[in-house]
Amino acid sequence: MDKERERYYLDDMFGEHLLISNQADARELGSNVRAARAILNSFPEVYITIRPHRIHLQTKNPEYTICEQIGDRKGICSEKGVTAGFKSAKKQGCKVVVIDLDEHSLQVDAFELSKYIARRKADFITGAISECYVVFQGNAVRVNGASMTRVMIERELNLL
């Protein structure tokens, strides 16, 4: 574990719950830390690692490990961006998708957003994606298209 600690440092706010690689993508580090803190603010039992930046075969590596599952943050410009975000995350080998509504200052349209997340039901059922966090204004909710209906997802999004 000592060698691990040399390559990662503890976040000032969340300590061991948020480890940050010394080789994290500097261009996205601020956004990645902000979104990770929002998740931890809402789900303090979660552990997140911001991974080292690597590009492999023209594909950017996922930014996070969340509770031992690979995940990536998707800063979408509109609710329609959910589809591309999920497809990209699957291509990267992610099991967790973080939908970041703060990246482009979106408002939460819970009805529209819930439609697009619910349409990814097959990704959840097949196990391609196991969890989805939605981040907005320092908070997060966790939604799952396999176990939640569109209405349940909308209800959860309205908590943001």
Side-chain angles (χ1 to χ4, degrees):
M1 185 68 173
D2 287 338
K3 289 213 181 248
E4 271 307 294
R5 292 225 184 260
E6 290 173 11
R7 298 183 318 176
Y8 293 87
Y9 60 92
L10 303 176
D11 177 61
D12 294 338
M13 292 177 66
F14 290 97
E16 290 186 353
H17 282 265
L18 178 53
L19 297 177
I20 303 166
S21 171
N22 292 327
Q23 299 171 356
D25 185 350
R27 293 171 297 140
E28 294 187 4
L29 185 58
S31 295
N32 289 337
V33 169
R34 176 190 42 74
R37 286 177 175 168
I39 292 168
L40 291 167
N41 186 48
S42 298
F43 302 97
E45 74 282 1
V46 168
Y47 287 87
I48 300 175
T49 301
I50 296 179
R51 299 160 41 99
H53 180 61
R54 306 266 191 271
I55 296 178
H56 180 69
L57 300 175
Q58 307 298 331
T59 302
K60 194 169 99 22
N61 70 309
E63 292 146 339
Y64 297 125
T65 301
I66 301 175
C67 294
E68 300 183 18
Q69 294 189 91
I70 303 298
D72 200 48
R73 181 184 60 81
K74 303 300 180 186
I76 63 173
C77 294
S78 75
E79 293 81 3
K80 294 177 182 177
V82 167
T83 302
F86 270 69
K87 286 180 179 179
S88 172
K90 289 185 342 184
K91 184 177 179 183
Q92 291 173 282
C94 296
K95 292 289 187 181
V96 180
V97 178
V98 177
I99 301 295
D100 183 3
L101 300 179
D102 291 331
E103 182 72 12
H104 298 288
S105 301
L106 284 180
Q107 296 298 311
V108 176
D109 182 338
F111 178 77
E112 282 298 309
L113 193 55
S114 67
K115 283 194 321 188
Y116 284 95
I117 293 171
R119 289 178 185 163
R120 306 310 308 173
K121 184 177 187 97
D123 294 335
F124 291 101
I125 289 173
T126 63
I129 301 294
S130 62
E131 290 190 298
C132 175
Y133 292 91
V134 180
V135 171
F136 184 65
Q137 296 184 341
N139 294 300
V141 294
R142 187 169 28 208
V143 295
N144 185 314
S147 61
M148 299 172 82
T149 65
R150 193 214 47 86
V151 172
M152 293 166 74
I153 294 169
E154 180 183 9
R155 193 174 305 130
E156 201 64 24
L157 293 170
N158 276 321
L159 298 174
L160 290 172

